[in-house]
Amino acid sequence: FKHEHWLYPSEDLGFSFDMTPVQTEYAQMQAVEQEIQSYTNGLVEYDEAIDEALKKLDEAGIDRFLEEYQKQFNAFYESKNK
């Protein structure tokens, strides 16, 4: 059994995400993260808290953030694999 897969560079090697277009969303997501830290630390039951946490992340702009990340990564990947 050989572990040669580690010999190949990762497809995202060299990718650097520019947060400039989503700075507001990132700041809002960080604020939500601080607010829901008790959920992730197990101080609040997961089943009781997950819907509220997802709602807050949605309101903070997580979808916009992920769209921008995917857009930048796709552009990077396409330019790297021409």
Side-chain angles (χ1 to χ4, degrees):
F1 183 71
K2 296 180 182 179
H3 292 286
E4 294 177 5
H5 66 277
W6 61 271
L7 295 174
Y8 302 101
S10 174
E11 293 178 350
D12 63 351
L13 186 65
F15 176 68
S16 179
F17 180 57
D18 175 13
M19 269 195 258
T20 304
V22 287
Q23 283 179 335
T24 301
E25 290 84 352
Y26 183 70
Q28 291 172 341
M29 287 170 25
Q30 285 185 308
V32 170
E33 179 184 20
Q34 292 299 313
E35 187 178 333
I36 65 173
Q37 197 167 27
S38 61
Y39 306 172
T40 58
N41 289 339
L43 301 174
V44 176
E45 282 292 324
Y46 177 85
D47 291 337
E48 295 175 14
I50 187 63
D51 290 337
E52 183 66 21
L54 292 174
K55 178 183 174 204
K56 288 179 180 187
L57 286 171
D58 189 44
E59 291 170 353
I62 194 168
D63 289 335
R64 168 78 179 101
F65 182 88
L66 293 173
E67 283 175 16
E68 182 61 30
Y69 189 97
Q70 189 67 57
K71 177 181 137 188
Q72 289 184 32
F73 183 79
N74 288 349
F76 165 80
Y77 186 78
E78 288 172 13
S79 70
K80 186 176 172 182
N81 292 299
K82 285 185 177 182

